[in-house]
Amino acid sequence: MEKSNPEGARLVGQQQEHLYYDVLQEIVNQQIPDDIYTVGSPFSVRGRGSDGINGDRHFYGVGHRRMPVSSYNQERAHFFSEYGMQSFPEYGTVIRYAPDTTTHDISSPLMMWHQRGGVEANKVIEWYVNSEYGETKEFRQFLYASQLLQGDAMRTAIEAHRRDMPHCMGSLLWQHNDCWPVASWATRDYYGRWKAAHYMVRHAFEPVICSAIAEGDNLLVYAVSDLLRKQQGKLKLTVYTLSGQTVNTLTKTIAIPANTSTLILEQPLAELLKGQQREDVVVSIELTASSGVSYQANCFLCLQKDLRLMPVKPEVSVEAAEGGCLITLKADKFVRALALSVDGAEDCWFDNNYFDLLPGVPVNCFISTSLSPSEIRQRLTYRSL
């Protein structure tokens, strides 16, 4: 319209501005005088749209413009009202809309039809997977890596936003679910299957969390609370080698102020690592609050593709439980992002998945299923980084 009728384009723009800034504002003031009206999202000041300083902000530098995932740690806003990272769904979902395995290539016409982000979107996912985790060798491995990418990216963003309280007081990711089976920003796919991000985001949004980040030569640990009352807490920090040895352990009693983020520990990495290389360790942090809430997270000091992980076969036990089975997993070495699945089972749901195994520390997960423990043992498969 702008080229063929510039005056018409000017009038449409003028009318849109009048509608959103004046007419709707007046109607809201009349009908709900005590409420607050915002013309749209993102928005800061009239005539300036979103400036990243005032109001809310949408940020897709990570996910669209190929900025590294770590960029979330530097970007700031008072309210991140939209951001996201795409991933493919589980293989069980893909095989339903692509039963012909010859189409299992991210550039195939069928995969492109089932992509909501445009012709370059699958290549963008591949670029991030290669940059953050290294190149994959086959299709199912790529699906797994894409989900890990999305989960890690969303958790990184949420923790960064929450660490920046009270400057940042809102974090709203895009998106929750899908309207058809597709590669997208959703954390639950069309059939309701939880992606890695859904498990990870759930934990990152807990009312009280601890978050660690390496800045320069130091490790910084924050306690973040959305609760409206102050609490006492205990921090435990453990450095493990990926092969299973304990390098260092620190404990500290702390105060957790209400509704804000607090730096609770700053420690030189050289003292923590005691000569170990960043590529050979994982830092585990656990915060237990006086309310009884406990939160555990792991921090890596390099890109995950540079971690010197080793093959591990976890110990697995399966017991009957009401409504399904209880699975316990344990390993003598560190296992990154263990993803469980049951081949050929459509009715299974895990209450915990895509989790790390710390050396010697068992992890339980419940699987809702009609299958017996023996059937689960036979059909249970897992994948890790």
Side-chain angles (χ1 to χ4, degrees):
M1 174 180 275
E2 291 182 4
K3 292 182 179 180
S4 61
N5 187 354
E7 177 60 16
R10 187 192 68 80
L11 287 173
V12 168
Q14 185 182 70
Q15 291 168 359
Q16 286 178 334
E17 182 172 337
H18 177 59
L19 172 66
Y20 282 97
Y21 285 95
D22 303 319
V23 176
L24 292 176
Q25 171 79 77
E26 182 179 348
I27 292 172
V28 171
N29 290 343
Q30 292 173 353
Q31 300 297 321
I32 323 173
D34 296 328
D35 216 335
I36 297 172
Y37 172 78
T38 300
V39 301
S41 176
F43 176 74
S44 58
V45 179
R46 183 167 183 169
R48 282 163 47 188
S50 176
D51 60 13
I53 299 172
N54 302 284
D56 65 319
R57 181 187 183 191
H58 291 187
F59 176 65
Y60 281 98
V62 178
H64 286 189
R65 300 204 307 273
R66 304 196 184 199
M67 294 172 64
V69 171
S70 60
S71 301
Y72 283 125
N73 295 316
Q74 286 80 49
E75 298 295 326
R76 304 188 74 195
H78 293 300
F79 176 26
F80 281 95
S81 55
E82 188 177 319
Y83 54 94
M85 173 69 77
Q86 283 203 329
S87 79
F88 276 75
E90 294 282 349
Y91 183 73
T93 290
V94 173
I95 203 69
R96 290 182 69 170
Y97 67 77
D100 180 359
T101 57
T102 63
T103 67
H104 291 182
D105 181 290
I106 64 170
S107 299
S108 73
L110 182 59
M111 292 301 150
M112 294 311 303
W113 275 110
H114 289 265
Q115 165 54 262
R116 290 189 58 200
V119 295
E120 291 297 317
N122 285 350
K123 288 298 182 182
V124 171
I125 298 174
E126 183 181 45
W127 182 87
Y128 273 103
V129 166
N130 293 346
S131 300
E132 300 284 337
Y133 305 98
E135 294 184 11
T136 56
K137 297 178 181 179
E138 48 90 19
F139 186 69
R140 292 187 69 167
Q141 194 179 65
F142 176 79
L143 299 186
Y144 162 83
S146 78
Q147 289 209 28
L148 183 55
L149 162 71
Q150 183 190 37
D152 281 342
M154 294 300 90
R155 180 169 58 186
T156 298
I158 294 162
E159 287 193 13
H161 302 163
R162 297 188 68 185
R163 282 197 309 269
D164 205 22
M165 293 171 70
H167 178 85
C168 179
M169 295 296 286
S171 184
L172 182 63
L173 67 87
W174 180 267
Q175 66 194 74
H176 179 195
N177 56 3
D178 272 324
C179 61
W180 71 307
V182 66
S184 79
W185 305 267
T187 62
R188 288 173 69 240
D189 73 26
Y190 174 73
Y191 299 112
R193 289 188 175 97
W194 289 25
K195 296 184 183 180
H198 210 69
Y199 291 99
M200 296 181 183
V201 163
R202 175 182 60 174
H203 293 303
F205 274 132
E206 293 280 2
V208 178
I209 69 168
C210 54
S211 177
I213 182 172
E215 291 190 358
D217 295 327
N218 295 328
L219 183 75
L220 280 57
V221 182
Y222 293 80
V224 184
S225 176
D226 281 346
L227 301 179
L228 301 183
R229 62 185 184 279
K230 178 181 177 180
Q231 295 190 80
Q232 297 299 310
K234 182 178 180 181
L235 173 71
K236 180 180 180 182
L237 182 150
T238 307
V239 181
Y240 296 97
T241 66
L242 302 179
S243 60
Q245 285 72 49
T246 300
V247 176
N248 211 337
T249 301
L250 299 176
T251 58
K252 183 180 181 182
T253 300
I254 59 167
I256 307 174
N259 202 33
T260 195
S261 169
T262 307
L263 179 64
I264 57 175
L265 180 70
E266 183 172 0
Q267 195 77 13
L269 284 167
E271 293 180 12
L272 284 176
L273 300 190
K274 293 184 176 180
Q276 296 289 334
Q277 299 300 306
R278 295 188 180 203
E279 295 83 5
D280 295 320
V281 300
V282 56
V283 180
S284 169
I285 51 175
E286 184 174 2
L287 180 64
T288 303
S290 53
S291 63
V293 174
S294 181
Y295 185 86
Q296 190 275 331
N298 298 322
C299 174
F300 305 102
L301 307 177
C302 64
L303 286 173
Q304 292 190 55
K305 69 178 181 180
D306 295 328
L307 287 171
R308 290 194 272 257
L309 295 163
M310 53 204 69
V312 185
K313 186 176 182 180
E315 299 175 17
V316 182
S317 67
V318 184
E319 300 177 358
E322 184 176 354
C325 294
L326 182 67
I327 303 173
T328 302
L329 301 108
K330 186 178 179 181
D332 59 353
K333 299 177 179 64
F334 178 72
V335 179
R336 171 65 181 128
L338 189 68
L340 306 176
S341 60
V342 179
D343 282 346
E346 294 293 330
D347 67 334
C348 293
W349 174 78
F350 294 93
D351 74 342
N352 189 16
N353 213 344
Y354 290 88
F355 50 80
D356 299 340
L357 288 181
L358 294 170
V361 180
V363 171
N364 296 322
C365 66
F366 172 78
I367 177 172
S368 173
T369 180
S370 59
L371 298 175
S372 68
S374 62
E375 290 173 310
I376 293 295
R377 291 188 199 98
Q378 293 170 6
R379 296 164 64 176
L380 184 70
T381 62
Y382 58 82
R383 187 183 296 271
S384 70
L385 189 60

